[in-house]
Amino acid sequence: MKRTVRRRSSAWSYFEQVGANFVRCKKCDAELKYCGGATSTMISHMAAKHHVSIPLRSAARGSWSETPPSWRAPDTEEESAFSPEREPSERRRSKRSSVWDVFVRVDEEVHCKLCDTKLKYMSSTTSMMYHIKNKHTENPQNNSVAMPTQAQVTKLVTNMIEKDMFPISVVDGDGFRELLADIVHSCNVPSADEITSSIECHYHEKAADLRMRLATVEKVALTADFWTAMPSQKYITVSCSFITEDWQGKSAVLHTHKLPSGGQLTAECVAEKLFSTTQAWTIAGKVPACVHNNKENIQLTQGVAQVTWNYVSCFATTLQLAVSDGLSEDVLQIISAAGRLVRHFSHSSQAAEALKEKQAQMCLPQHKLIRSNRARWDTVCDMFQCLLEQRWAIKAVLSDRTVTSKHEAQTLEIGDDCWQVIENFTPVLATLKWATTVISAETEVSISNIYPITFSLIQTHLVPKENDVDQVSSFKLAVQKSLRDHMKVDSSDLASNPALIASMLDPRHKHLNFLMPAGRLAAKVKLHELVSKLDASAASPKDEQLETEVTPDLSQMATARKPPSDTKNTMMLLLGDNYSSSYATDSEAQVDYYLRDIAPSLDINPLDWWRLNGPRFPKLASLAREYLCIPGVSLPSLLSDAGQSFAAMRIRLNPEHVNMMVFLNRNASI
């Protein structure tokens, strides 16, 4: 059998061998050491000194030479890189530098892809790395120069899973592993166990930080959010809200408990989950109230021995129930007809394109139609507003027989009487939506706004007007009645409701003008009662100092510097230096001074007001921390678009990791 031979490297066109261990350059007579048959030094010499580029393999493999392949030395650098005699450092040098992701070689130069800078290429990447470091430090492609380490890759993947709430098993997916392996060549794709360990470490660090913060606050309000994951697993997420020493409102998720599947949820089970959470976070004695989203049996937990806090209904859920109670059959049919119309333009590309053309012709905003969501009544308001805005463009498309058939038009067209209902109905829904938005603000005090908004809706915005159509008048009356029932506005015990007490401790609403005189008097009596119950040891140092100064030792009169005939100084000694001070020193006086003080405007943050005025009313300030930390809704952000995305993401989590994932996702900013 005939052996094939390998052709010699083209480097020998420029060199001749001198003895056994040296070669001489034919162009400059330079002598180079030659060892083991490798031609890499010759190739480098030609590139550096004579700017001649010699390919690593000049020709295709031919036949073997007379030298046996079992012991013949490699001809080229590519072969020598894998030679067992070659040093490891030399093998690493053959790896392609990452600077070539930014530069491209053109003859004897290299061109930067980012700024088209041209540099001389002398077989070294140093000048290119220097250029990237100094000229493109903010460019994303510069990150490719410094490849991340294994630890950095694991951290980045962990952050991605926490932020987007992916199941940890995503790292075992073939597509994800191929993607990461293609992007990061130098690191291994982390396994699910490595990611789980990283998430657990991050969870314990965050939990330790939160535990330290909770240890420094006076009161911590709870929220209980009940939700269901696919297919039917139920959970309760327990969160907390508190006010820091410098009067900053904060909130955090504490724990997500898995509830028993199937069967009825008992009061004892809910109470046990809430109580175990307070015990685990050592806040059992600090909880004034728990806000819940109106789930069954939550109120019954008040009879459980461990429960020492009040319960407050989520106002957004209460408003949802009131709106649902007010929607008559006629209105529901109009909502259904509007939904069919929106679906038609969503599913028909021809109708959607025609609508864009009509919008341009009529100079209308290029807005897509919005479809309502049964889980969010406020989307009905958005759908109606958009339909009213695009009404005539929609009619023009439905009347165009090249786009919409006569049968489709008859099915989709909304009658003028229905358009009249939509036009009358939208402002009422918009007002209710504004109320939900105000109560759901996470960065503002919300519980103190509940009763002022509730009475404003009942007494003003939900009162039928002469020009209201019958459906709108009926809706207003039904929602008004439902709010009265759910919020117990006519109850004789309204003054004891935490939301109303919070309104009194909010300087914007302390006058309680929305109540009748008898209701305001009952609320004032309740506030006096709460202040009197405060333990004397809880008074601030400023308060104790003032109380001491108000009742001075009368024996000091004998040693007074000025003669007793000085009436002014005598009165000061008898009544105290702080007799006319704006600082209240008595519990009843604090309440009276506070209520007589001028109320600030509605656009101020009550926590900012208490930060400045807390020293004037130290006991009331303590009560304000207790009641103003209570949120108005069970989980404010769920009512936003981002919150809806979060709600959709959390249902895909594995029950084994749901607690850690929800905790880290919701507490990312703490």
Side-chain angles (χ1 to χ4, degrees), residues 46-76:
M46 295 304 297
K49 299 298 183 181
H50 305 296
H51 307 296
V52 175
S53 178
I54 301 175
L56 294 179
R57 194 178 298 276
S58 60
R61 294 184 184 274
S63 58
W64 287 100
S65 64
E66 292 76 15
T67 306
S70 59
W71 58 270
R72 182 180 178 274
D75 286 334
T76 65

Short mmCIF file of all heavy atoms in Angstrom, two decimals, residues 46-76:
data_model
loop_
_atom_site.label_atom_id
_atom_site.label_comp_id
_atom_site.label_asym_id
_atom_site.label_seq_id
_atom_site.Cartn_x
_atom_site.Cartn_y
_atom_site.Cartn_z
N MET A 46 9.34 36.24 9.66
CA MET A 46 8.92 36.82 8.39
C MET A 46 7.81 37.85 8.59
O MET A 46 7.78 38.88 7.91
CB MET A 46 8.46 35.72 7.43
CG MET A 46 9.55 34.75 7.00
SD MET A 46 10.96 35.59 6.24
CE MET A 46 10.19 36.32 4.80
N ALA A 47 6.93 37.60 9.54
CA ALA A 47 5.84 38.55 9.77
C ALA A 47 6.34 39.81 10.45
O ALA A 47 5.92 40.92 10.12
CB ALA A 47 4.76 37.88 10.63
N ALA A 48 7.28 39.69 11.43
CA ALA A 48 7.74 40.84 12.19
C ALA A 48 8.77 41.67 11.43
O ALA A 48 8.74 42.91 11.50
CB ALA A 48 8.33 40.36 13.52
N LYS A 49 9.69 41.01 10.73
CA LYS A 49 10.79 41.73 10.10
C LYS A 49 10.54 42.09 8.64
O LYS A 49 11.02 43.11 8.15
CB LYS A 49 12.08 40.90 10.20
CG LYS A 49 12.51 40.60 11.63
CD LYS A 49 12.83 41.89 12.40
CE LYS A 49 13.32 41.58 13.81
NZ LYS A 49 13.61 42.82 14.57
N HIS A 50 9.81 41.25 7.95
CA HIS A 50 9.64 41.46 6.51
C HIS A 50 8.17 41.63 6.11
O HIS A 50 7.89 41.73 4.91
CB HIS A 50 10.25 40.28 5.74
CG HIS A 50 11.69 40.04 6.10
ND1 HIS A 50 12.69 40.95 5.84
CD2 HIS A 50 12.29 38.98 6.72
CE1 HIS A 50 13.86 40.47 6.27
NE2 HIS A 50 13.65 39.27 6.81
N HIS A 51 7.25 41.63 7.12
CA HIS A 51 5.81 41.83 6.86
C HIS A 51 5.28 40.86 5.82
O HIS A 51 4.46 41.21 4.95
CB HIS A 51 5.53 43.27 6.41
CG HIS A 51 6.07 44.30 7.35
ND1 HIS A 51 5.63 44.44 8.65
CD2 HIS A 51 7.06 45.24 7.19
CE1 HIS A 51 6.30 45.42 9.25
NE2 HIS A 51 7.18 45.92 8.38
N VAL A 52 5.75 39.67 5.90
CA VAL A 52 5.29 38.61 5.00
C VAL A 52 4.46 37.64 5.83
O VAL A 52 4.91 37.11 6.83
CB VAL A 52 6.47 37.87 4.34
CG1 VAL A 52 5.96 36.70 3.50
CG2 VAL A 52 7.28 38.84 3.48
N SER A 53 3.22 37.43 5.39
CA SER A 53 2.32 36.53 6.11
C SER A 53 2.39 35.15 5.48
O SER A 53 2.12 34.98 4.29
CB SER A 53 0.88 37.06 6.06
OG SER A 53 0.01 36.17 6.70
N ILE A 54 2.78 34.18 6.29
CA ILE A 54 2.87 32.80 5.83
C ILE A 54 1.76 32.00 6.48
O ILE A 54 1.65 31.98 7.71
CB ILE A 54 4.24 32.18 6.19
CG1 ILE A 54 5.38 32.99 5.56
CG2 ILE A 54 4.31 30.73 5.75
CD1 ILE A 54 6.75 32.53 5.96
N PRO A 55 0.86 31.39 5.74
CA PRO A 55 -0.22 30.60 6.34
C PRO A 55 0.35 29.43 7.12
O PRO A 55 1.42 28.91 6.82
CB PRO A 55 -1.05 30.14 5.15
CG PRO A 55 -0.11 30.21 3.99
CD PRO A 55 0.83 31.35 4.25
N LEU A 56 -0.43 29.03 8.16
CA LEU A 56 0.02 27.92 8.99
C LEU A 56 0.13 26.64 8.18
O LEU A 56 0.96 25.78 8.44
CB LEU A 56 -0.94 27.72 10.15
CG LEU A 56 -0.99 28.87 11.17
CD1 LEU A 56 -2.00 28.55 12.24
CD2 LEU A 56 0.39 29.09 11.77
N ARG A 57 -0.75 26.47 7.23
CA ARG A 57 -0.71 25.26 6.41
C ARG A 57 -0.79 25.72 4.96
O ARG A 57 -1.82 26.19 4.50
CB ARG A 57 -1.89 24.34 6.76
CG ARG A 57 -1.73 22.93 6.20
CD ARG A 57 -2.91 22.09 6.64
NE ARG A 57 -2.97 21.97 8.06
CZ ARG A 57 -2.28 21.08 8.76
NH1 ARG A 57 -1.47 20.25 8.15
NH2 ARG A 57 -2.38 21.02 10.07
N SER A 58 0.29 25.62 4.25
CA SER A 58 0.38 26.21 2.93
C SER A 58 -0.29 25.39 1.85
O SER A 58 -0.60 25.88 0.80
CB SER A 58 1.85 26.44 2.55
OG SER A 58 2.53 25.20 2.55
N ALA A 59 -0.51 24.15 2.08
CA ALA A 59 -1.10 23.31 1.04
C ALA A 59 -1.86 22.18 1.68
O ALA A 59 -1.71 21.89 2.84
CB ALA A 59 -0.01 22.76 0.14
N ALA A 60 -2.73 21.59 0.85
CA ALA A 60 -3.48 20.44 1.37
C ALA A 60 -2.55 19.28 1.59
O ALA A 60 -1.46 19.20 1.04
CB ALA A 60 -4.57 20.06 0.36
N ARG A 61 -2.99 18.38 2.44
CA ARG A 61 -2.15 17.22 2.72
C ARG A 61 -1.99 16.38 1.46
O ARG A 61 -2.96 16.06 0.78
CB ARG A 61 -2.78 16.37 3.83
CG ARG A 61 -2.81 17.09 5.18
CD ARG A 61 -3.36 16.17 6.25
NE ARG A 61 -3.48 16.87 7.50
CZ ARG A 61 -2.50 17.00 8.38
NH1 ARG A 61 -1.32 16.50 8.12
NH2 ARG A 61 -2.69 17.64 9.51
N GLY A 62 -0.74 16.02 1.23
CA GLY A 62 -0.48 15.14 0.10
C GLY A 62 -0.09 13.77 0.60
O GLY A 62 -0.76 13.18 1.41
N SER A 63 1.06 13.30 0.14
CA SER A 63 1.50 11.98 0.58
C SER A 63 2.55 12.12 1.65
O SER A 63 3.18 13.17 1.80
CB SER A 63 2.06 11.21 -0.62
OG SER A 63 3.13 11.96 -1.19
N TRP A 64 2.72 11.09 2.40
CA TRP A 64 3.75 11.10 3.45
C TRP A 64 5.14 11.11 2.80
O TRP A 64 5.37 10.52 1.76
CB TRP A 64 3.64 9.84 4.32
CG TRP A 64 2.45 9.89 5.23
CD1 TRP A 64 1.26 9.29 5.02
CD2 TRP A 64 2.35 10.57 6.46
NE1 TRP A 64 0.40 9.53 6.04
CE2 TRP A 64 1.06 10.33 6.97
CE3 TRP A 64 3.23 11.36 7.22
CZ2 TRP A 64 0.62 10.84 8.17
CZ3 TRP A 64 2.78 11.86 8.43
CH2 TRP A 64 1.49 11.61 8.88
N SER A 65 6.05 11.84 3.50
CA SER A 65 7.45 11.79 3.07
C SER A 65 8.09 10.50 3.59
O SER A 65 7.45 9.69 4.24
CB SER A 65 8.20 13.01 3.62
OG SER A 65 8.24 12.96 5.03
N GLU A 66 9.36 10.43 3.30
CA GLU A 66 10.03 9.20 3.72
C GLU A 66 10.14 9.09 5.23
O GLU A 66 10.39 8.02 5.76
CB GLU A 66 11.44 9.13 3.10
CG GLU A 66 11.45 8.93 1.59
CD GLU A 66 11.10 10.21 0.87
OE1 GLU A 66 11.15 11.29 1.53
OE2 GLU A 66 10.76 10.16 -0.31
N THR A 67 9.96 10.25 5.93
CA THR A 67 10.06 10.20 7.39
C THR A 67 8.84 9.51 7.95
O THR A 67 7.72 9.90 7.66
CB THR A 67 10.13 11.62 7.96
OG1 THR A 67 11.18 12.32 7.31
CG2 THR A 67 10.37 11.59 9.45
N PRO A 68 9.00 8.50 8.77
CA PRO A 68 7.84 7.78 9.31
C PRO A 68 6.96 8.71 10.13
O PRO A 68 7.47 9.50 10.93
CB PRO A 68 8.48 6.70 10.19
CG PRO A 68 9.88 6.59 9.71
CD PRO A 68 10.27 7.91 9.21
N PRO A 69 5.63 8.67 9.95
CA PRO A 69 4.72 9.58 10.67
C PRO A 69 4.70 9.33 12.15
O PRO A 69 4.29 10.17 12.91
CB PRO A 69 3.36 9.28 10.03
CG PRO A 69 3.49 7.90 9.48
CD PRO A 69 4.91 7.76 9.06
N SER A 70 5.12 8.17 12.61
CA SER A 70 5.05 7.87 14.03
C SER A 70 6.02 8.70 14.84
O SER A 70 5.81 8.95 16.01
CB SER A 70 5.32 6.38 14.25
OG SER A 70 6.61 6.05 13.74
N TRP A 71 7.12 9.16 14.20
CA TRP A 71 8.08 9.94 14.99
C TRP A 71 8.46 11.26 14.33
O TRP A 71 9.19 12.04 14.88
CB TRP A 71 9.35 9.12 15.23
CG TRP A 71 10.06 8.65 13.97
CD1 TRP A 71 9.84 7.49 13.32
CD2 TRP A 71 11.07 9.36 13.25
NE1 TRP A 71 10.64 7.39 12.23
CE2 TRP A 71 11.44 8.52 12.16
CE3 TRP A 71 11.72 10.57 13.42
CZ2 TRP A 71 12.39 8.88 11.23
CZ3 TRP A 71 12.69 10.93 12.50
CH2 TRP A 71 13.01 10.10 11.42
N ARG A 72 7.87 11.55 13.15
CA ARG A 72 8.23 12.78 12.44
C ARG A 72 7.70 14.00 13.18
O ARG A 72 6.57 14.04 13.63
CB ARG A 72 7.61 12.73 11.03
CG ARG A 72 7.95 13.96 10.18
CD ARG A 72 7.30 13.82 8.81
NE ARG A 72 7.58 14.99 8.01
CZ ARG A 72 6.83 16.09 8.05
NH1 ARG A 72 5.80 16.16 8.85
NH2 ARG A 72 7.14 17.11 7.27
N ALA A 73 8.52 15.06 13.33
CA ALA A 73 8.12 16.29 14.01
C ALA A 73 7.13 17.08 13.16
O ALA A 73 7.19 17.02 11.93
CB ALA A 73 9.35 17.16 14.29
N PRO A 74 6.25 17.82 13.75
CA PRO A 74 5.27 18.60 12.99
C PRO A 74 5.93 19.73 12.23
O PRO A 74 6.93 20.29 12.67
CB PRO A 74 4.31 19.14 14.06
CG PRO A 74 5.10 19.15 15.32
CD PRO A 74 6.04 18.00 15.21
N ASP A 75 5.35 20.02 11.04
CA ASP A 75 5.91 21.06 10.20
C ASP A 75 5.43 22.44 10.60
O ASP A 75 6.12 23.43 10.41
CB ASP A 75 5.52 20.81 8.73
CG ASP A 75 6.32 19.66 8.13
OD1 ASP A 75 7.44 19.40 8.62
OD2 ASP A 75 5.80 19.05 7.19
N THR A 76 4.19 22.55 11.06
CA THR A 76 3.57 23.85 11.24
C THR A 76 3.28 24.14 12.69
O THR A 76 3.31 23.27 13.55
CB THR A 76 2.25 23.93 10.45
OG1 THR A 76 1.36 22.99 11.03
CG2 THR A 76 2.46 23.61 8.98
#
